[in-house]
């Protein structure tokens, strides 16, 4: 039973307790935050990207603070599928929230291997298919070419009965085309955005601030780009649930995403600065809906007036 029944949110086959999720790579595997965040109020925890084999990630430095944001090039460091099943799944099983596993791969087979293996595991509620990481070689191949994107989703759809959500990149020429391809291929929901490609330089040493040279820009600096992307994806794929991500640090920020078409949002970089935000958002949203006489959150989704 949701702690706030009014905020229950449908995301494909899943009913989330609230529309406020924790973004991949910024919330560990969920259990790390359990002492400070009431996970029953978090609609879902999205795990760090998971690959078939363990990955060490990129060399350091991998993080650089920027005005109103940060650059990161972690490079998808993770424990790999088998260790995830052995060590992480038992922890996830006890969490009072839904768990979406963020999946990454170098090939269609990699993605399919993870989805098939985890489809049998009850503690996993769905998949966020990461086709949009800018910090690894070929990380955005499936998010840049609509044919590749559709082919990947078509291959994954039969591997699972759980939620299949595609996480899209802002680093593309025609976002609407990619969004439509993901849905045509079988994605039941879309989440966006992943980070924007950025760069910072130490002028004294003439070296890049990040060993990978470029990194992914996130935080409030990217929010207007993210709001624009969600708006375009919502127009391109009417009826498909959309999860907005990018620079949310207050209820007001989240509301912008709902108005342009999101049914839920994820909080990312702000978890480092203000981990209490995910505790506050549901109560603040509930009060705001009552004050605006709006009833259900769904009345807000896509209410943009032009
Ligand atoms: C340090 C860091 C690590 C991240 N790791 C991942 C990841 O493993 N997989 C993924 O899909 N997105 C990853 N992201 C991207 C976030 O999930 C999110 O899409 C992006 O940061 C924009 O949201 P924000 O501005 O609220 O952070 C990462 C972001 C940061 C800051």
């Amino acid at each position: 039973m949701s702690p706030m029944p009014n905020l229950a949110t449908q995301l494909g086959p899943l009913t989330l307790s609230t529309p406020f999720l924790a973004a991949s790579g910024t919330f560990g595997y969920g259990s790390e935050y359990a002492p400070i965040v009431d996970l029953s109020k978090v609609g879902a925890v999205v795990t760090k990207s998971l690959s078939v084999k363990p990955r060490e990630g990129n060399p350091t430095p991998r993080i650089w603070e920027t005005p109103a944001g940060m650059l990161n090039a972690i490079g998808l460091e993770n424990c790999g599928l088998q260790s995830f099943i052995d060590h992480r799944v038992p922890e996830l099983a006890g969490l009072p929230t839904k768990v979406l596993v963020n999946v990454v791969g170098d090939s269609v087979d990699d993605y399919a291997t993870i989805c098939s293996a985890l489809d049998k595991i009850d503690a996993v509620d769905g998949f966020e298919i990461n086709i949009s990481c800018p910090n690894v070689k070929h990380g955005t191949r499936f998010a840049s070419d609509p044919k590749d994107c559709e082919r990947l989703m078509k291959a994954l759809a039969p591997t699972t009965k759980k939620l299949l959500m595609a996480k899209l990149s802002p680093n593309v020429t025609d976002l609407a085309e990619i969004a439509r391809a993901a849905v045509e291929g079988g994605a039941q929901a879309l989440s966006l955005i992943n980070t924007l490609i950025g760069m910072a330089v130490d002028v004294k040493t003439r070296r890049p601030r990040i060993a990978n040279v470029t990194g992914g820009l996130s935080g409030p600096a990217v929010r207007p780009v993210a709001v624009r992307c969600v708006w375009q994806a919502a127009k391109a794929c009417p009826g498909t649930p959309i999860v907005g991500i990018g620079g949310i640090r207050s209820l007001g920020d989240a509301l912008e995403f709902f108005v342009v078409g999101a049914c839920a949002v994820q909080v990312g970089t702000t978890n480092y600065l203000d981990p209490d935000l995910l505790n506050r958002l549901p109560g603040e949203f509930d009060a705001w809906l009552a004050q605006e006489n709006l009833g259900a959150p769904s009345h807000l989704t896509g209410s943009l007036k032009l």
Side-chain angles (χ1 to χ4, degrees):
M1 180 66 186
S2 158
M4 291 185 180
N6 190 31
L7 296 191
T9 299
Q10 204 62 33
L11 185 60
L14 296 179
T15 306
L16 311 181
S17 63
T18 74
F20 303 106
L21 288 67
S24 176
T26 68
F27 209 72
Y29 291 91
S31 47
E32 296 92 331
Y33 276 78
I36 48 172
V37 177
D38 177 355
L39 295 178
S40 71
K41 290 188 193 161
V42 175
V45 165
V46 185
T47 68
K48 176 73 191 164
S49 282
L50 181 67
S51 49
V52 175
K53 295 257 155 50
R55 293 177 75 131
E56 280 188 6
N58 291 328
T60 57
R62 323 198 269 193
I63 290 216
W64 182 252
E65 191 170 344
T66 61
M70 65 186 279
L71 285 171
N72 93 81
I74 306 297
L76 304 176
E77 176 179 349
N78 77 96
C79 61
L81 178 61
Q82 195 54 52
S83 172
F84 179 82
I85 293 173
D86 295 342
H87 303 293
R88 292 300 184 170
V89 165
E91 277 173 36
L92 296 173
L95 298 183
T97 181
K98 302 278 190 245
V99 174
L100 305 183
V101 173
N102 181 296
V103 183
V104 77
D106 292 327
S107 65
V108 171
D109 277 357
D110 281 356
Y111 285 96
T113 300
I114 297 179
C115 292
S116 325
L118 298 183
D119 185 56
K120 305 174 199 81
I121 293 181
D122 286 344
V124 174
D125 296 290
F127 301 100
E128 181 177 69
I129 306 301
N130 181 3
I131 50 173
S132 46
C133 182
N135 302 323
V136 292
K137 217 173 154 204
H138 308 311
T140 56
R141 194 181 102 206
F142 294 106
S144 315
D145 180 331
K147 285 202 184 73
D148 276 345
C149 177
E150 186 174 344
R151 186 167 61 89
L152 176 66
M153 292 305 150
K154 271 202 170 121
L156 297 186
T159 66
T160 179
K161 293 176 290 303
K162 299 180 194 272
L163 171 71
L164 191 62
M165 177 162 83
K167 182 167 180 179
L168 305 185
S169 170
N171 307 309
V172 295
T173 310
D174 188 345
L175 183 85
E177 197 182 23
I178 300 286
R180 272 193 295 267
V183 172
E184 300 254 305
Q188 297 160 300
L190 302 174
S191 59
L192 59 161
I193 59 172
N194 210 317
T195 52
L196 285 145
I197 301 169
M199 188 170 169
V201 174
D202 178 343
V203 289
K204 213 164 161 197
T205 62
R206 312 284 206 275
R207 287 188 176 280
R209 297 287 190 183
I210 300 245
N212 188 54
V213 183
T214 60
L217 182 68
S218 64
V222 310
R223 199 175 61 248
V225 176
V227 170
R228 180 269 296 174
C229 288
V230 167
W231 174 64
Q232 288 180 322
K235 278 196 305 177
C237 305
T240 300
I242 296 191
V243 180
I245 322 167
I248 293 173
R249 60 171 180 195
S250 70
L251 176 67
D253 298 344
L255 295 178
E256 281 193 54
F257 283 95
F258 293 127
V259 169
V260 297
C263 68
V265 293
Q266 295 181 11
V267 174
T269 300
T270 298
N271 292 317
Y272 298 128
L273 193 72
D274 177 16
D276 193 48
L277 180 64
L278 278 167
N279 283 328
R280 298 194 307 270
L281 283 173
E284 288 180 10
F285 191 32
D286 210 32
W288 186 86
L289 289 168
Q291 181 198 309
E292 297 287 313
N293 281 324
L294 265 173
S298 56
H299 296 149
L300 188 62
T301 295
S303 58
L304 184 74
K305 292 180 186 159
L306 291 173

